[in-house]
Amino acid sequence: MLRGPFLDRSWMGQNPDYKTSDIIMLGLPFDGTVSYRSGSRFAPEQIRLASWGLEEYSPIFDKELEQVNFHDAGDLEFPLGNTYKSLEQIKENVEDIYKDGKRVFGIGGEHLVTLPEIQAVSKFYKDFAIVHFDAHTDLREEYLGEEMSHSAVIRHCSKIVGAENIKQIGIRSGMKEEWEFMAKNNTLCKEYKDLESIKGKKIFITVDLDCLDTSIMPGTGTPEAGGLTFNELVGWFKYLKDFEIIGADVVELAPDYDASGVSTAVATKVIRELLMIM
Amino acid sequence: MLRGPFLDRSWMGQNPDYKTSDIIMLGLPFDGTVSYRSGSRFAPEQIRLASWGLEEYSPIFDKELEQVNFHDAGDLEFPLGNTYKSLEQIKENVEDIYKDGKRVFGIGGEHLVTLPEIQAVSKFYKDFAIVHFDAHTDLREEYLGEEMSHSAVIRHCSKIVGAENIKQIGIRSGMKEEWEFMAKNNTLCKEYKDLESIKGKKIFITVDLDCLDTSIMPGTGTPEAGGLTFNELVGWFKYLKDFEIIGADVVELAPDYDASGVSTAVATKVIRELLMIM
Amino acid sequence: MLRGPFLDRSWMGQNPDYKTSDIIMLGLPFDGTVSYRSGSRFAPEQIRLASWGLEEYSPIFDKELEQVNFHDAGDLEFPLGNTYKSLEQIKENVEDIYKDGKRVFGIGGEHLVTLPEIQAVSKFYKDFAIVHFDAHTDLREEYLGEEMSHSAVIRHCSKIVGAENIKQIGIRSGMKEEWEFMAKNNTLCKEYKDLESIKGKKIFITVDLDCLDTSIMPGTGTPEAGGLTFNELVGWFKYLKDFEIIGADVVELAPDYDASGVSTAVATKVIRELLMIM
Amino acid sequence: MLRGPFLDRSWMGQNPDYKTSDIIMLGLPFDGTVSYRSGSRFAPEQIRLASWGLEEYSPIFDKELEQVNFHDAGDLEFPLGNTYKSLEQIKENVEDIYKDGKRVFGIGGEHLVTLPEIQAVSKFYKDFAIVHFDAHTDLREEYLGEEMSHSAVIRHCSKIVGAENIKQIGIRSGMKEEWEFMAKNNTLCKEYKDLESIKGKKIFITVDLDCLDTSIMPGTGTPEAGGLTFNELVGWFKYLKDFEIIGADVVELAPDYDASGVSTAVATKVIRELLMIM
Amino acid sequence: MLRGPFLDRSWMGQNPDYKTSDIIMLGLPFDGTVSYRSGSRFAPEQIRLASWGLEEYSPIFDKELEQVNFHDAGDLEFPLGNTYKSLEQIKENVEDIYKDGKRVFGIGGEHLVTLPEIQAVSKFYKDFAIVHFDAHTDLREEYLGEEMSHSAVIRHCSKIVGAENIKQIGIRSGMKEEWEFMAKNNTLCKEYKDLESIKGKKIFITVDLDCLDTSIMPGTGTPEAGGLTFNELVGWFKYLKDFEIIGADVVELAPDYDASGVSTAVATKVIRELLMIM
Amino acid sequence: MLRGPFLDRSWMGQNPDYKTSDIIMLGLPFDGTVSYRSGSRFAPEQIRLASWGLEEYSPIFDKELEQVNFHDAGDLEFPLGNTYKSLEQIKENVEDIYKDGKRVFGIGGEHLVTLPEIQAVSKFYKDFAIVHFDAHTDLREEYLGEEMSHSAVIRHCSKIVGAENIKQIGIRSGMKEEWEFMAKNNTLCKEYKDLESIKGKKIFITVDLDCLDTSIMPGTGTPEAGGLTFNELVGWFKYLKDFEIIGADVVELAPDYDASGVSTAVATKVIRELLMIM
């Protein structure tokens, strides 16, 4: 046998054992419905490699990755071009996770992957809220006639958890009708206190990386100027630390659009900090 | 009114009038089933802009673009994520072209767009052959369980025109079963004379740009080493000049994967030369 | 005829009819005098394509693009290498716009295009101010012996409208002499109230995109650290909403220097928001 | 447990079991002595991911990867900045492979990794030749005073196996002294017959990817115009198929220098074809 | 002889005469120990070219480069792969500078170059502090068994000047043990007043450019989200203007990782502003 | 003083002394009239840096650079935007070179720089031919109304030396009228023997790097598929070795369009080999 030492190519700081882990990181390389630029299918594998450029210790939360107790389960394989079958696969695997008494941490892929995650989670939890970081409302009913679109994912989720359980942060783009939906349902949050109404509830956190400013996250499908800084995003994470988080995902990194590799590095750190509060 | 002069942003050398044109160039920005890297949805628009970096005159064929009499009809708009509906739209529009007594020149998009083109053409022509330039056999029955895949497009076409009417050039990648299909049906052509069996037939030419070597065409979804040079490809075009060409397409440019812009420039010249022999 | 549907390739949300439009968007792909990196000649066409990645609705101004009533007139064609003739063409076309009772919205190209715009506008308006967003003073008398340089454009404009009618925002680079000119003429604005002296006047707004920080706008000819954020720029737009704006331009995007496409996306949004206040 | 299916992230077509494998693929991410551009440390991991863009079947050799029976052992971890210790680690691990009766297939990293491989192999085989594909002679005694340099690797190897057992293909760059060494020792091969003198000998094949033309392999540290085509390289592989190959490596891919990903794709195919002849 | 005029290719605004200069700018293209991505060896030459995209006048400090009286001495040549010999060369040359009564301004290269600079300076000055801008603590004792690593540079320096004379700004990444070292020795500075304890002391300023946010400085080896803005960094420079600065360096630009050229442009401006306060 | 050693940043292998040199290398960073993509203004400086990635010895010509005895004079500085004045500066400096009994080796910049070179040379030599490597005929009378255009440079030169003294190699693009001019004047060369008619004459060699295939030289303004390989170009150089070469230039590298750096590396080698035959 070889004496090594060998580089580890799973996520830095993971628990290699599924059974004893609390959180299951699941790669979801699906990007079939994106309206502008695709390529988020390559995100889970590039994020995994980039994780080794980080430290295991987060000075923000004074905590090490191994204290999080998460397992990197790898990346699902999807039937390309078949949106419905792909979503079904996600739902089934996420259900497996919750059946085993664990929580999911999805790595997209595009934002539509959140829908089957929420469908699965809703079988196990009846009353929970979704905290949604994004540049875009994602509140369309359909896009060019298609119901299953990353532009519609939160609208579909709202039908599962109730519009009053949707809280949206970083939003700066959408159709007039979508902004009216936000106003009517009071979903848009600008300050921490706007999350009051869901305090005490279980929450699922979904982070579309384009919530970050285009300067910080050029490697994404639909970059939108005027976004959050990294420290603002982490500020929200600090606030959310006291919530009971029953699942999370980080989506929409398109690594090939940022040849500098920096978008991938930032996505990886977002994931580390979000793990810290779970 | 403004006196200009203004830059023309349709394809260089086109006939602006649909009715009096012989050939209809149709942009098909669909890339929903690709197995590796997508992005060919952006090809038609970038090719159109790049056409102005070419001359209208082809010294190879001693002919000018205006002698071709083609009309740039623009790019179809597809419902993202819905493969079947997208293919249906292509079929209907290509049928319109043939109803009007014209021929199609499709600009992909991915290679699956060829299937609805062939379906449409087969309603108007009963006995014709397909000359297929590609790195890949595209002869799978399905990919990861999906019948509608760019890896299966020529297999599906072979069921329409008959395997004896498929001629493949530049192929250098595929599964063992696919190579056996090629051997059995004698589809692979290495020299001009290998096209003997379809001489005198009407032909449809489909050019997957990855038939070209990776050095010439890095901006494509599934680059495969060991391909044709540009001059070899044009050599085949010269040979095919005497065939009756009833339609054509050029597919699988993914412009964002080649920041130098050269893949787009080459794709544009391939299109100009292919137009010259129609 | 083809049934489509087809993608629209003019600017999203434009009025396709020149006559009934209030504002004429005019592409000015000229970059002949830039001192460092050129390439802004490709900006108008890439911005037009990128506009379709935006929404028509601006939540900042709670307004849709169609309410702006602008027409995308296309891009002028220039005699390459002839600076004087190119500038003359711009002047003539902008005069046409004002003769027709409309206002210009120029899309550069480099910053020197603003000079012939101002020359044209000054034939129709006698007393107006220029609000100039930029990283650079652009107040040189000449550059390497050349009077016609993008580094001198505002100095030349100041001779038309008077130095007291020049207001500069975002400036952080220039020669000592230029900063003395700014100090003497009180042109530099750091807070909204610094615009007091031109309140009530008609204004022309010229936005050199390098006013934005290099992190936000890497795709520009002369990137200069320490610039405005997108939200700061839009903050100024909000303040300027109550001014009477008689023309505007957005210049100096060099799209090929940002392969991520993000600079183009941001430029496009700057344009949308600036249209909103006209 | 999760039902999957999951993407496999080891090299496509590998035997997951070390013990029953004949060939051990070993990632050697070391690039500490390169004279121009580094970055080959990232090659093994990117090649592994890119292997899934290939087919398992090689039409050139009419053989599938699983028939090769190789195991992907992963990538060694090196003490950065310590050249001697890194080389020692390689030597030890390669010795482990030969002790276990297997052969090494190294994935660089830079070309200096070949030296400890040859040192290890030479403990098990007494008389063997090295077939060296490269743009550069790599025959210096030292570089800027350093003996351990990628520019000197073949010179050092020649002291182990004898200069008469060095055969060099694709060479087009070096100092005058190095070319004189080649001439004196008759190491340079231009036609297959130039390999006559080592016929019947065991051989180790080392492929510096810059032997390929710069057009095919831009992602390398020291690109040198005028190189081999992919098909020429494979032609040599075909000729070498009848030799007894006791080890091999493929080195000097610097993936970050080719944002198109094509260099990595080509490197991966070179590896597949070289595996086919072992 | 040629009449010219010729472009100057030394640093803009330098004093071409070593003897009459106060500050010696010294290029240190060494990147042998970096833990993630290398390439800072190309920084000094690209920074020199980019300096001509700046103005000589700094409006921040109302001062021109020629008032700084610095000489661009060029770039040292190192024996690649030999860390110890390279560091020795730096030490000797920096000693030469101080023997001649001047101060060094080093341009890295990676951060380890600071160690021999400090060793040299400490021969001439007995009591001085180090002001350290960085994303990373650089306080390890070793990295993968290697003492000489860019991750350990400040720890080694602390042994020369005393931990109480280390002041760190911008730090946001490190191992838990390193953060404990910072806490124990009170090295981390968040506000200007945190520099109180070294007031009155001579200081050496070392700027690892990754102290800047990843959005501003993508072209660096180990990008880390959540960093300083350019204006925040310059704010610290303003505060430090009143200290007696006995040397400085700016390190870790990896220009090839930012094809937009913006990282290089920003690095160049950081250097100009830092020169202004010496 | 500093002990060094320092890296040399002039062209590798140059004679630092103008007076004792035979050939003067002159950087001509002018790109004011290009019809498509500019940026060749950055070529001379990037080529100079890249020259250090080459060896001084050419195995093709079995000769070292120092035997060529050339001096790198640096790069002229031009008044941006003023085509006529820039051309005048080139003419004057090249005249200086010939007055001093030396020969010019120009490094563009765009192709129009050849015109003032030829104007200058023609004052010293009455009967000479121009050997023109290019993808484009460059035989227009004007471009968009402008006589001074890189598309017209060889036409203008033909008026100085006579059309019978123009020999063109690699040409594959132009207007029909230009191809008729070539046919009428027998300028196009496809085989070495096509140069018969100028045998014995003095020649000036001008190499537009886009004569090379787009795969080899993506970093150029107007890439055109179907070009020469590097070895074909060098083959012509070998044939031309026996001609009396009275001057040369190499133009149209646009380094920023090839982030891999390979176009610059190839340009540099073209220059080295061309120097070898002078």
Side-chain angles (χ1 to χ4, degrees), chain B residues 9 19 41 91 100 121-123 129 149 158 163 165 167 172 180 183 190 192 212 221 237 251 255 268:
Chain B
R9 287 303 185 205
K19 285 202 186 137
R41 68 178 69 176
K91 186 155 69 87
D100 291 341
V121 171
S122 70
K123 294 196 174 176
S149 162
S158 79
N165 281 321
K167 291 296 164 189
R172 54 198 183 276
E180 288 164 357
K190 302 204 160 178
Y192 300 151
L212 291 167
F237 288 178
V251 301
T268 307

Side-chain angles (χ1 to χ4, degrees), chain B residues 62-202:
Chain B
D62 189 17
K63 195 171 166 184
E64 305 219 50
L65 265 182
E66 67 172 19
Q67 300 172 254
V68 174
N69 195 20
F70 76 101
H71 169 69
D72 174 6
D75 305 330
L76 288 183
E77 181 169 43
F78 297 117
L80 296 160
N82 190 323
T83 298
Y84 282 86
K85 211 186 285 181
S86 301
L87 298 180
E88 185 62 23
Q89 280 184 20
I90 297 173
K91 186 155 69 87
E92 290 171 353
N93 278 277
V94 176
E95 284 179 23
D96 291 343
I97 291 170
Y98 284 84
K99 263 181 217 148
D100 291 341
K102 303 172 192 301
R103 289 172 287 159
V104 75
F105 195 106
I107 309 285
E110 61 152 84
H111 211 161
L112 189 52
V113 304
T114 304
L115 179 58
E117 290 174 337
I118 294 298
Q119 289 169 332
V121 171
S122 70
K123 294 196 174 176
F124 297 85
Y125 292 97
K126 281 305 137 202
D127 185 32
F128 68 98
I130 296 173
V131 179
H132 171 222
F133 293 89
D134 206 325
H136 308 90
T137 58
D138 288 0
L139 290 168
R140 290 169 180 250
E141 285 286 2
E142 48 80 35
Y143 188 77
L144 297 174
E146 282 313 296
E147 207 185 351
M148 282 302 109
S149 162
H150 76 155
S151 317
V153 62
I154 299 303
R155 186 62 162 267
H156 297 328
C157 289
S158 79
K159 293 170 186 165
I160 298 172
V161 302
E164 71 282 6
N165 281 321
I166 301 290
K167 291 296 164 189
Q168 300 183 286
I169 300 164
I171 312 297
R172 54 198 183 276
S173 177
M175 296 162 67
K176 196 174 169 61
E177 295 74 8
E178 297 176 275
W179 282 80
E180 288 164 357
F181 181 98
M182 287 202 293
K184 187 179 146 203
N185 294 290
N186 204 22
T187 64
L188 189 60
C189 302
K190 302 204 160 178
E191 301 170 53
Y192 300 151
K193 68 171 191 232
D194 297 339
L195 288 170
E196 281 288 293
S197 69
I198 59 161
K199 215 151 194 179
K201 287 202 178 176
K202 291 174 177 62

Side-chain angles (χ1 to χ4, degrees), chain F residues 170-229:
Chain F
I171 311 298
R172 54 197 184 276
S173 177
M175 296 162 67
K176 196 174 169 60
E177 295 73 8
E178 296 176 274
W179 282 81
E180 287 165 357
F181 181 99
M182 287 203 293
K184 186 179 147 205
N185 293 290
N186 204 20
T187 64
L188 189 61
C189 301
K190 302 204 160 176
E191 301 171 50
Y192 300 151
K193 67 170 191 233
D194 297 339
L195 288 170
E196 282 288 292
S197 69
I198 60 163
K199 215 150 195 180
K201 288 203 177 174
K202 291 173 179 61
I203 61 170
F204 186 99
I205 299 177
T206 181
V207 179
D208 184 324
L209 288 160
D210 66 22
C211 68
L212 291 167
D213 191 57
T214 52
S215 58
I216 299 162
M217 186 54 57
T220 191
T222 315
E224 181 80 30
L228 301 177
T229 66

Side-chain angles (χ1 to χ4, degrees), chain E residues 202-218:
Chain E
K202 291 173 177 61
I203 63 169
F204 186 99
I205 299 177
T206 180
V207 179
D208 184 325
L209 288 160
D210 65 22
C211 68
L212 291 167
D213 191 56
T214 52
S215 59
I216 299 162
M217 187 53 57

Side-chain angles (χ1 to χ4, degrees), chain C residues 142-147, chain E residues 5, chain F residues 30 76-93 116 148:
Chain C
E142 48 80 34
Y143 188 77
L144 297 173
E146 283 311 299
E147 206 186 352
Chain F
F30 170 81
L76 288 183
E77 181 170 42
F78 297 118
L80 296 161
N82 189 323
T83 297
Y84 283 87
K85 210 187 286 183
S86 300
L87 298 179
E88 186 61 24
Q89 280 185 21
I90 298 173
K91 185 154 70 88
E92 289 171 354
N93 278 276
M148 281 302 110

Side-chain angles (χ1 to χ4, degrees), chain D residues 11-74:
Chain D
W11 239 87
M12 182 188 56
Q14 68 138 355
N15 175 348
D17 179 40
Y18 175 86
K19 285 203 184 135
T20 59
S21 301
D22 295 331
I23 295 166
I24 305 304
M25 182 181 278
L26 187 60
L28 303 167
F30 171 81
D31 62 6
T33 79
V34 303
S35 52
Y36 196 45
R37 316 188 302 186
S38 56
S40 58
R41 67 178 69 177
F42 297 113
E45 62 192 30
Q46 293 298 336
I47 286 172
R48 189 176 286 114
L49 292 175
S51 71
W52 294 93
L54 285 181
E55 299 282 352
E56 297 194 34
Y57 174 71
S58 165
I60 298 168
F61 295 103
D62 188 17
K63 197 171 165 184
E64 305 218 52
L65 266 181
E66 67 172 17
Q67 299 172 255
V68 174
N69 195 19
F70 75 102
H71 170 69
D72 173 7

Side-chain angles (χ1 to χ4, degrees), chain A residues 32-39 41-42 77-83 85 143-146 256-257, chain B residues 32-39 41-42 77-83 85 143-146 256-257:
Chain A
T33 79
V34 304
S35 52
Y36 196 44
R37 317 189 301 185
S38 56
R41 68 178 70 177
F42 297 113
E77 182 170 40
F78 297 117
L80 296 160
N82 189 323
T83 298
K85 212 185 285 180
Y143 187 77
L144 297 174
E146 283 311 298
D256 291 348
Y257 277 101
Chain B
T33 79
V34 304
S35 52
Y36 196 44
R37 318 190 298 186
S38 55
R41 68 178 69 176
F42 298 113
E77 181 169 43
F78 297 117
L80 296 160
N82 190 323
T83 298
K85 211 186 285 181
Y143 188 77
L144 297 174
E146 282 313 296
D256 292 348
Y257 276 101

Side-chain angles (χ1 to χ4, degrees), chain A residues 96-117:
Chain A
D96 290 344
I97 291 170
Y98 285 84
K99 264 180 216 148
D100 292 341
K102 303 170 192 302
R103 288 173 288 159
V104 75
F105 195 107
I107 311 285
E110 61 152 87
H111 212 162
L112 189 53
V113 303
T114 304
L115 179 58
E117 290 174 337

